[in-house]
Amino acid sequence: MHVAAGSPVCVDENDVPEETLAAEREILVNQAKDSGKPDEIIQKMVDGRMRKYLAEITLVGQPFVKDPDVTVG
């Protein structure tokens, strides 16, 4: 039921291809650089957004369908 509703790309973070992570990180870095913030702040912003991205695309990171306050993991 959850797989059909959430349509995850991978089971967990270890299964996500490096190319996918690198491409997403590059997009997020470019977006963050447009904000004009210092590099150390940009790095923290990108790290947080990557955690959120991984939670969205992995099965164990997604919110549980019946109780969104907990993750499938």
Side-chain angles (χ1 to χ4, degrees):
M1 177 174 75
H2 181 83
V3 173
S7 58
V9 176
C10 298
V11 175
D12 65 12
E13 294 178 10
N14 297 327
D15 296 336
V16 180
E18 283 296 320
E19 306 86 44
T20 304
L21 293 175
E24 186 66 23
R25 183 172 290 279
E26 183 178 335
I27 291 169
L28 294 173
V29 167
N30 289 334
Q31 288 175 351
K33 283 184 179 179
D34 291 340
S35 68
K37 297 188 185 294
D39 287 340
E40 57 273 358
I41 301 298
I42 288 174
Q43 189 60 40
K44 289 180 183 180
M45 289 170 55
V46 170
D47 289 343
R49 290 179 183 170
M50 285 299 293
R51 281 191 300 276
K52 182 177 178 185
Y53 172 72
L54 286 170
E56 291 173 357
I57 67 166
T58 58
L59 176 64
V60 295
Q62 291 179 341
F64 188 60
V65 174
K66 292 184 177 182
D67 184 5
D69 293 333
V70 293
T71 62
V72 174

